[in-house]
Amino acid sequence: MAVVTMKQLLEAGVHFGHQTQRWDPRMQRFIHGERSGIYVIDLNQTLERVEQAYTFTRELVANGGTVLLVGTKRQAQGAVESYANKCGMPYVNQRWLGGMLTNFQTISKRVGKMQEYQRMRESGEFDAMIKKEALMLNRELEKLERNLTGIKDMTRLPDAVFVIDTIREHIAVTEANKLGIPVIAIVDTDCNPDVIQHAIPGNDDAIRASQLMCHMISEAVEEGRHIHNSRSKKPENPSLDAEEKAAEQAKARDEAATAEAERDERISQENSDDDQNNDPAEPVVEEPVVEEPVVEEPVVDDEGSQNG
């Protein structure tokens, strides 16, 4: 099954280039023709390049690699953030800070500072500060979150960079080339495709075109992660389907609950027996019997006289 179809490319407007006076001669091999003063991109080459970029990304992620998605223009910000979060990859969609790749250690320290400020805000330390100081820290935290939230989980340099609009993101492309990091990018008719290792000729200004390309990268990442997870599993432990796993978990929970009930009942019975053995019946105290003295009554005979 094709990654994208010709119909999807046409509906997204990927074939529209820039005006004829705004073009880079190095893009001539990707241009199909000109219509109404606008260059039309050859979508057959676009389909071929999309397949190549998809395969490269899938294999990269299958081997444990990461892809950094970059797109700071308004048309691409939403697509970059949503699809990066969907596939669990880092992204930059607000502003590319100079040295984000070539000076990654300093950027990592700023990310750590942002996380420290976030911890202070959540713990209520900002509320205990002077109002002016707390306001300044809040402003700095907002600035850090705006620029660094997408890369807060990126602990090392990415293995590839996906870029939308290489003209706007020329610093990112330059840093990646300097470090030897492969670049996957959408190249419009005003771009230089020679500095891009995996160039995809297409419109980088349309919102739907950006969404389609980000979706393609996201699908490649998810498929590559699935392959990576399959390879990392031990052969002696065959994988179970989700239903089988759920059934096993339910069975284990039932067995644990039954064992817990039996244990509680056994402990309760043992405590009851101990109480009976340790608390003997109270001895019956017999009250002393007080014998009343016997008083001998005088014997009266028939004549009314007493004897003795």
Side-chain angles (χ1 to χ4, degrees):
M1 181 179 178
V3 179
V4 295
T5 62
M6 182 69 73
K7 181 180 179 181
Q8 289 176 318
L9 294 176
L10 289 171
E11 290 177 349
V14 179
H15 58 293
F16 291 119
H18 283 282
Q19 296 178 349
T20 53
Q21 62 266 26
R22 292 181 53 199
W23 77 302
D24 191 311
R26 288 165 289 195
M27 280 293 296
Q28 187 172 5
R29 61 182 184 272
F30 298 117
I31 295 176
H32 175 72
E34 177 264 333
R35 182 176 182 182
S36 301
I38 296 176
Y39 281 122
V40 178
I41 297 172
D42 186 2
L43 291 184
N44 289 319
Q45 297 190 57
T46 302
L47 280 176
E48 181 181 352
R49 295 294 184 118
V50 166
E51 292 283 349
Q52 295 175 2
Y54 184 92
T55 303
F56 170 78
T57 305
R58 181 188 61 196
E59 294 302 322
L60 181 72
V61 177
N63 293 324
T66 58
V67 180
L68 174 64
L69 281 71
V70 182
T72 61
K73 63 195 308 182
R74 286 188 306 167
Q75 297 91 323
Q77 287 178 345
V80 167
E81 181 178 1
S82 61
Y83 283 105
N85 289 328
K86 178 183 177 183
C87 64
M89 287 294 168
Y91 67 91
V92 176
N93 71 331
Q94 292 296 328
R95 178 190 171 195
W96 180 270
L97 303 178
M100 193 168 280
L101 294 179
T102 54
N103 196 13
F104 184 69
Q105 292 183 350
T106 301
I107 297 297
S108 298
K109 292 179 182 178
R110 299 303 295 168
V111 172
K113 194 69 174 177
M114 177 189 70
Q115 293 174 343
E116 176 65 17
Y117 284 163
Q118 290 174 339
R119 184 197 62 78
M120 293 172 61
R121 181 179 60 186
E122 293 172 359
S123 63
E125 294 184 31
F126 279 7
D127 299 332
M129 294 180 180
I130 301 174
K131 186 175 181 180
K132 183 177 181 180
E133 183 180 0
L135 182 61
M136 293 175 61
L137 291 180
N138 266 317
R139 289 176 178 173
E140 185 177 356
L141 177 57
E142 290 175 359
K143 183 178 179 180
L144 291 173
E145 287 179 335
R146 182 171 60 252
N147 295 325
L148 302 177
T149 296
I151 62 170
K152 63 180 180 179
D153 298 325
M154 191 173 71
T155 58
R156 60 183 179 85
L157 288 172
D159 298 284
V161 179
F162 172 73
V163 178
I164 297 177
D165 194 344
T166 58
I167 298 296
R168 184 183 181 92
E169 314 299 342
H170 66 280
I171 300 177
V173 174
T174 302
E175 291 187 15
N177 287 330
K178 184 176 181 179
L179 297 175
I181 299 175
V183 178
I184 310 165
I186 306 173
V187 290
D188 211 328
T189 54
D190 62 342
C191 300
N192 177 15
D194 296 339
V195 297
I196 308 300
Q197 288 72 37
H198 300 275
I200 304 174
N203 184 0
D204 59 10
D205 295 319
I207 297 177
R208 296 180 65 180
S210 300
Q211 291 177 342
L212 181 62
M213 295 303 170
C214 289
H215 175 72
M216 179 269 297
I217 292 295
S218 174
E219 291 293 324
V221 169
E222 291 181 351
E223 185 176 347
R225 184 177 289 116
H226 178 73
I227 296 173
H228 176 72
N229 293 336
S230 301
R231 291 176 180 175
S232 62
K233 290 179 180 178
K234 297 181 180 179
E236 59 269 16
N237 294 331
S239 60
L240 299 176
D241 294 334
E243 296 180 358
E244 294 179 356
K245 288 183 179 180
E248 284 199 353
Q249 292 175 357
K251 183 179 178 180
R253 285 195 297 268
D254 294 340
E255 292 177 353
T258 303
E260 182 72 14
E262 292 177 354
R263 188 178 66 85
D264 292 343
E265 184 178 357
R266 185 173 64 255
I267 294 175
S268 177
Q269 185 66 28
E270 291 176 356
N271 292 337
S272 178
D273 295 341
D274 292 342
D275 292 341
Q276 292 179 1
N277 294 333
N278 296 331
D279 297 334
E282 296 182 359
V284 178
V285 180
E286 297 181 357
E287 297 181 358
V289 179
V290 181
E291 296 181 358
E292 297 180 359
V294 179
V295 180
E296 295 181 356
E297 296 181 358
V299 179
V300 182
D301 57 7
D302 293 339
E303 295 179 357
S305 61
Q306 296 181 355
N307 295 326

